[in-house]
Amino acid sequence: MPARARRTYHHGDLRNAMLQKALELVDEHGPEAVSLREVARRVGVNHRAAYRHFDDKRALTAAIAEQGYLALAVALEVSWAKSEKKAPRARVVALMDAYLDFALESSARYRITFGKRVNEDDRYPVLEATAERGFAVLMRALGGMRATPASREQVRDLGFSLWSLAHGYLQLVWSKRIRVRPELTARYFHALAVPLLDGWETTKKGR
Amino acid sequence: MPARARRTYHHGDLRNAMLQKALELVDEHGPEAVSLREVARRVGVNHRAAYRHFDDKRALTAAIAEQGYLALAVALEVSWAKSEKKAPRARVVALMDAYLDFALESSARYRITFGKRVNEDDRYPVLEATAERGFAVLMRALGGMRATPASREQVRDLGFSLWSLAHGYLQLVWSKRIRVRPELTARYFHALAVPLLDGWETTKKGR
DNA sequence: ACCTGAACACCGTTCAAGT
DNA sequence: ACCTGAACACCGTTCAAGT
């Protein structure tokens, strides 16, 4: 009796159930493994039921990405809160570590979150907003780093530099263009990022 | 008479024809649009004929990626040759420009070339080798940049930094996480990369 | 040696119908 | 309001057969 698998004919929380199963699928078999039909199968409903909650497959991907940006923002906020007693510069480094840790621990999720097709799509402005929430933490950390005041644009540029560096580094590591032992992946990133922070502090102070 | 479309029953150069049509497809409709069946259709053969030249779909993707790395390496080599009369640092900047130009002018190709799945796959060592050829140009340019000698490891780290920065920047621009007017995309990258070069020159000289 | 055609197990998406 | 089932047009891949 398949009817016993669910209490009622109506699932009740199908949207969240699908999102949950989709995330499991991403973690298990990578971003490409997500299909509407497989997710529906895992939840235990007809594949057509999905369309009550997601306009199309991309809408499901967008929901996964939104969840990803949100989890990333929360991870950064937690790091920021926990580093309160540290020096400003150490707080920035801690934040970068939190970013790398998040990406490395759930790399499939990270990859689907930053996937081009869904981020390009203007139908999901929520992605912009949620990503912004994470970037705001970095801006705050960088803003507090130097005694010498810098313009908002200068801080933003440094923020984009660090973000680009971290994101590109991760992609190149995953694509095997940068070869580094897995347990040293986060540490080696320091070697790349520190000169950027050094340059920022020394160059600006010198003026 | 479909037979008139080709001179003989045998195509003769099917592998190259498929690769060519695949690249057109990538440029026209993006990386996702490439399917063995569509490529075969465009060449004018049965989709099964593809399997004589490519083991599976990924092998076709790998061939596209190899072609991409090769074109990139050539673009960098051309830039390097053309900048012979410039100062060492200007040559590095010219090289970065060439990289950005290549990526922006054929972004779909760039994206499929650096695609994770195919680069992860150990069945295509040619990708490693061809990518290395491009990176070697950057290493040469950076090695010539400073009077003060640096170890090969230090130069390589700087190279990985610049590569990560450029690659991550491109991804974030394409994903709309960094918003910049299209005609300023390459110029804004300068603002991000220059501090890295400055930091490298000043920090090392000071010791 | 190289190409074809039918078949299989998957997709995403649409339409008409069921509860 | 929510879910189902058959159908359509696509995939990649395999097998047996054609030239």
Side-chain angles (χ1 to χ4, degrees):
Chain A
M1 277 187 200
R4 275 191 89 192
R6 295 196 311 276
R7 289 219 191 78
T8 62
Y9 180 77
H10 290 67
H11 185 283
D13 196 22
L14 184 53
R15 200 193 130 94
N16 277 323
M18 287 199 66
L19 188 49
Q20 198 53 48
K21 291 290 178 193
L23 289 171
E24 283 176 29
L25 211 46
V26 172
D27 287 339
E28 281 173 38
H29 300 106
E32 297 85 352
V34 180
S35 76
L36 281 173
R37 290 178 108 109
E38 177 61 25
V39 172
R41 216 174 282 132
R42 291 199 171 200
V43 174
V45 297
N46 185 282
H47 65 276
R48 269 294 311 157
Y51 286 86
R52 287 287 140 197
H53 302 279
F54 302 100
D55 277 355
D56 51 24
K57 193 192 172 178
R58 189 169 292 181
L60 174 61
T61 308
I64 297 171
E66 184 194 347
Q67 198 278 343
Y69 279 127
L70 187 63
L72 177 56
V74 168
L76 296 181
E77 282 163 0
V78 166
S79 161
W80 179 248
K82 283 209 308 201
S83 69
E84 212 170 352
K85 287 174 188 159
K86 289 185 180 168
R89 160 131 178 190
R91 298 190 80 177
V92 172
V93 173
L95 208 59
M96 304 294 295
D97 282 343
Y99 188 96
L100 265 278
D101 285 350
F102 178 89
L104 293 171
E105 268 167 34
S106 41
S107 60
R109 250 144 117 152
Y110 180 91
R111 280 147 66 153
I112 208 169
T113 298
F114 283 88
K116 270 132 275 171
R117 291 306 264 240
V118 72
N119 282 285
E120 260 167 20
D121 198 322
D122 287 319
R123 280 180 299 174
Y124 311 107
V126 67
L127 297 183
E128 167 86 36
T130 320
E132 189 58 42
R133 181 173 156 184
F135 190 66
V137 183
L138 180 59
M139 286 290 279
R140 211 178 316 152
L142 292 176
M145 205 173 74
R146 290 190 313 114
T148 322
S151 73
R152 218 193 109 77
E153 282 69 33
Q154 286 175 314
V155 175
R156 191 206 54 200
D157 288 357
L158 179 62
F160 281 153
S161 294
L162 286 169
W163 195 7
S164 296
L165 189 68
H167 187 66
Y169 172 74
L170 287 163
Q171 306 290 327
L172 291 176
V173 167
W174 286 327
S175 295
K176 298 197 176 181
R177 297 284 71 88
I178 293 179
R179 293 195 174 269
V180 53
R181 292 227 310 279
E183 68 274 22
L184 297 179
T185 307
R187 196 184 306 171
Y188 185 51
F189 178 68
H190 278 184
L192 304 187
V194 159
L196 209 55
L197 297 179
D198 283 343
W200 168 255
E201 290 188 314
T202 58
T203 315
K204 301 291 166 181
K205 271 182 188 153
R207 284 185 193 162
Chain B
M1 278 187 203
R4 273 191 91 191
R6 297 195 309 276
R7 290 224 189 74
T8 62
Y9 179 77
H10 290 67
H11 185 282
D13 195 21
L14 185 53
R15 201 194 127 94
N16 277 323
M18 287 200 67
L19 189 50
Q20 199 53 48
K21 291 291 179 192
L23 289 171
E24 283 176 29
L25 211 46
V26 172
D27 286 338
E28 279 172 38
H29 300 107
E32 297 85 352
V34 180
S35 77
L36 280 174
R37 289 178 110 109
E38 177 62 25
V39 171
R41 218 174 282 132
R42 290 199 172 200
V43 174
V45 296
N46 185 283
H47 65 276
R48 269 294 311 156
Y51 286 84
R52 286 288 139 196
H53 302 279
F54 301 100
D55 278 354
D56 50 24
K57 192 191 174 178
R58 189 168 291 180
L60 174 60
T61 308
I64 297 171
E66 184 193 346
Q67 198 278 341
Y69 280 127
L70 187 63
L72 176 56
V74 168
L76 296 181
E77 283 163 0
V78 166
S79 160
W80 179 247
K82 283 210 305 200
S83 70
E84 212 169 354
K85 288 174 188 158
K86 289 184 181 170
R89 160 129 178 190
R91 297 190 80 177
V92 172
V93 173
L95 208 58
M96 304 294 296
D97 282 342
Y99 188 96
L100 265 278
D101 285 349
F102 178 88
L104 293 171
E105 268 168 34
S106 41
S107 60
R109 249 144 117 151
Y110 180 90
R111 281 147 67 153
I112 208 169
T113 298
F114 283 88
K116 270 133 275 172
R117 291 305 265 239
V118 72
N119 281 284
E120 260 167 21
D121 198 322
D122 287 319
R123 280 180 300 174
Y124 311 108
V126 67
L127 297 184
E128 167 86 36
T130 319
E132 188 59 42
R133 180 172 157 185
F135 190 66
V137 183
L138 180 60
M139 285 290 279
R140 211 179 315 153
L142 292 176
M145 206 174 72
R146 292 186 314 111
T148 321
S151 73
R152 218 192 110 77
E153 282 70 32
Q154 286 174 313
V155 175
R156 191 206 53 201
D157 288 357
L158 179 62
F160 281 154
S161 294
L162 285 169
W163 196 6
S164 296
L165 189 67
H167 187 65
Y169 171 74
L170 288 163
Q171 306 290 327
L172 291 177
V173 168
W174 287 326
S175 294
K176 297 197 178 183
R177 297 284 70 86
I178 293 179
R179 292 194 175 272
V180 53
R181 293 227 309 279
E183 69 272 24
L184 298 179
T185 308
R187 198 184 303 172
Y188 184 51
F189 178 68
H190 279 184
L192 304 187
V194 160
L196 209 56
L197 297 179
D198 283 342
W200 168 257
E201 290 187 316
T202 58
T203 315
K204 301 290 167 184
K205 269 182 188 154
R207 284 183 192 164

